[in-house]
Amino acid sequence: MRSTSDSTRPSTGPDVFLGVDGGGTKTVFALLDGDGRLLATALAPSCYYFGQSIDLVEEVIRSGVASVCDEAVLTTDRITYAFLALPGYGEVSSDIETLDAIPARVLGHRRYGCDNDMVAGWAGSLGAVDGVNVIAGTGSMTYGEHGGRKLRVGGWGELFDDEGSAYWIAIRGLSAFAKMSDGRLAGGPLRERLASHLRLAADLDLVDVVVNRWRGDRAKVASLARVVTAAAADGDEVCVEILHEAGRVLADLVTATIARLDYAPGDVVPVSWSGGVFASGEVRAAFHEHLADSPVDLREPLLPPVLGAALYAARLAGRPLSAAVVDGLHAYASTLPQGGGSDE
């Protein structure tokens, strides 16, 4: 992670912390004051720039910061510290310097930090305390912190990794549909659900939709995980097994992360999760079952990633919010715009 600062302090007034949670489909912004009051939120398009110009990141950040500051009726110089969780950050070494420079132009100061959106998921889920968070949205990865050590596992991309992610689930669902159509698998609810969802006149039109029209678009393909989940609820055994396997591989990510974070034998590790894939009861059940014999404390996510990003901003500023204040943030969770790094 890159954290920057300067000697310029914000103009007089209470602390204000900006959290930015970027994701595969949306970017969410939130302003918190030092007492944990939510001052404003904003929603902007995705700032995931892979396959596009990196200029997209500044366009989205500038638009979202302007919106959230307008709603709170304050200027950017009033922001004590900001943390920007950006999808793809750190995955192209030569882009890091460019990404790190963007917030300075938008905010007009250097009181901010940047890192991958996994950090916002971790900070929100665990309240920014040591432990491990597994993210399963459009992609998948884990992020953990322990005794000052920071570690990412997974998240190598949808072409050859991102196991247990919405994209991973959707690809297996598409494969099952093709095999059901061919007779290589017995037909199940998935076949009818997917054909209806995509309005296919014939099964082979699936190729036209996904390959020709969508051109394999990452977010559009990942959205089909919802169809797999719905088919599983209808009793499709193939889809049920896809979701069970997703839960198992996500648990394996957690186990690998804990093993590298230098926990002592027998230490109980706080573990939480974020991302739309965990909306599936089948995934959650398999995830819990696979970790049942591990020394982990499985915790329901405390807060959405965007509030985690704001908490992390306070931490970077040396003004971490108290546990009581963090608990009070629950009241805001349902009022936040949907999107960001928690997308399915």
Side-chain angles (χ1 to χ4, degrees):
M1 182 190 71
R2 185 69 173 271
S3 180
T4 68
S5 62
D6 58 26
S7 58
T8 305
R9 305 309 305 159
S11 57
T12 57
D15 285 336
V16 176
F17 302 108
L18 170 65
V20 180
D21 172 39
T25 57
K26 297 289 187 295
T27 304
V28 190
F29 300 73
L31 285 171
L32 288 180
D33 70 12
D35 294 322
R37 286 188 291 263
L38 183 64
L39 304 177
T41 62
L43 188 64
S46 172
C47 56
Y48 185 74
Y49 68 96
F50 286 8
Q52 304 185 61
S53 168
I54 199 170
D55 294 340
L56 171 71
V57 180
E58 182 163 348
E59 293 171 10
V60 171
I61 298 303
R62 189 174 295 280
S63 170
V65 168
S67 294
V68 79
C69 287
D70 284 349
E71 183 181 333
V73 195
L74 54 78
T75 54
T76 58
D77 66 310
R78 281 281 297 108
I79 296 172
T80 308
Y81 216 91
F83 177 67
L84 297 91
L86 305 175
Y89 183 96
E91 295 168 12
V92 181
S93 296
S94 58
D95 286 350
I96 291 176
E97 185 176 354
T98 300
L99 293 171
D100 285 337
I102 289 171
R105 294 194 292 272
V106 175
L107 298 173
H109 56 75
R110 299 185 62 80
R111 300 185 300 275
Y112 62 85
C114 297
D115 208 329
N116 193 276
D117 56 320
M118 65 188 177
V119 180
W122 166 82
S125 289
L126 290 172
V129 301
D130 278 3
V132 175
N133 180 63
V134 57
I135 305 152
T138 305
S140 68
M141 66 180 76
T142 55
Y143 178 76
E145 293 196 9
H146 175 233
R149 179 169 168 74
K150 308 173 193 296
L151 180 67
R152 163 184 173 159
V153 173
W156 292 84
E158 66 274 10
L159 290 182
F160 50 86
D161 192 41
D162 284 3
E163 293 185 333
S165 68
Y167 187 96
W168 184 94
I169 290 169
I171 288 295
R172 277 149 186 79
L174 291 169
S175 176
F177 177 92
K179 290 172 181 172
M180 288 177 184
S181 179
D182 286 346
R184 289 178 284 163
L185 279 177
L190 174 67
R191 186 176 178 189
E192 182 178 346
R193 274 194 168 273
L194 193 57
S196 175
H197 179 78
L198 296 177
R199 300 178 181 177
L200 304 179
D203 285 0
L204 271 175
D205 285 345
L206 181 68
V207 177
D208 177 41
V209 173
V210 176
V211 179
N212 182 34
R213 297 187 218 167
W214 289 3
R215 299 188 180 276
D217 181 270
R218 177 175 180 260
K220 289 179 179 177
V221 171
S223 72
L224 298 178
R226 298 187 184 94
V227 181
V228 176
T229 300
D234 287 344
D236 192 302
E237 294 181 3
V238 173
C239 292
V240 168
E241 181 51 34
I242 290 171
L243 297 179
H244 284 179
E245 182 64 13
R248 291 191 288 267
V249 296
L250 291 169
D252 287 341
L253 279 174
V254 170
T255 302
T257 307
I258 292 172
R260 294 182 55 199
L261 276 175
D262 299 329
Y263 279 97
D267 281 353
V268 176
V269 182
V271 172
S272 192
W273 53 89
S274 57
V277 167
F278 280 101
S280 163
E282 301 283 359
V283 172
R284 291 197 310 276
F287 178 77
H288 282 66
E289 181 181 358
H290 205 56
L291 291 172
D293 296 327
S294 301
V296 298
D297 175 17
L298 293 175
R299 301 180 179 181
E300 290 286 335
L302 285 173
L303 300 168
V306 68
L307 293 184
L311 288 180
Y312 208 67
R315 177 170 162 167
L316 291 176
R319 296 171 168 82
L321 303 188
S322 70
V325 168
V326 172
D327 285 343
L329 292 174
H330 285 287
Y332 296 121
S334 63
T335 69
L336 292 168
Q338 298 301 305
S342 60
D343 291 346
E344 181 175 75

